[in-house]
């Protein structure tokens, strides 16, 4: 089991299959894949707060294995279940708040 966040893990074989596909590619291709995924599905938040600005990057999807592979490429952030309403498919959210990770 791969621990993604507190009380959240994913069977290694699922993540391993997705990462194995990415592993056959060089580093530039993996980064390009992650950038394309984030560009299509990601969200950048920059908003004022009491103590300055808050910056957050998020990426939500119903494919936990893809999100796990994304996290392995960017080497930052955490994955947690997202709230869903009604009878919808479970959704997962990757998020990063630390400025050094956001900036990178």
């Amino acid at each position: 089991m791969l621990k993604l966040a507190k009380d959240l893990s994913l069977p290694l074989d699922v993540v391993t299959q997705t990462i194995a596909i990415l592993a056959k590619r060089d580093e530039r291709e993996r980064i390009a894949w992650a950038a394309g995924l984030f560009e299509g599905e990601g969200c950048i938040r920059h908003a004022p707060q009491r103590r300055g600005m808050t910056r957050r990057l998020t990426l939500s999807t119903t494919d936990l294995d893809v999100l796990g592979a994304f996290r392995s490429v960017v080497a930052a952030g955490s994955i947690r279940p997202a709230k869903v309403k009604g009878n919808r498919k479970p959704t997962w959210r990757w998020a990063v708040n630390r400025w050094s990770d956001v900036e990178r």
Side-chain angles (χ1 to χ4, degrees), residues 6 54 63 99:
K6 184 179 179 184
T54 181
D63 298 317
W99 175 242

Side-chain angles (χ1 to χ4, degrees), residues 37-93:
L37 181 63
F38 186 81
E39 182 178 3
E41 303 294 328
C43 177
I44 300 172
R45 180 172 185 208
H46 185 80
Q49 277 194 324
R50 273 192 206 157
R51 301 180 316 178
M53 298 298 285
T54 181
R55 298 163 186 96
R56 173 180 273 194
L57 305 178
T58 60
L59 175 66
S60 298
T61 182
T62 58
D63 298 317
L64 185 54
D65 58 330
V66 171
L67 213 50
F70 176 84
R71 183 176 179 265
S72 75
V73 171
V74 298
S78 61
I79 299 173
R80 293 195 163 80
K83 293 180 181 177
V84 292
K85 295 180 181 180
N87 192 18
R88 296 190 179 189
K89 194 173 180 181
T91 302
W92 308 94
R93 179 175 293 130

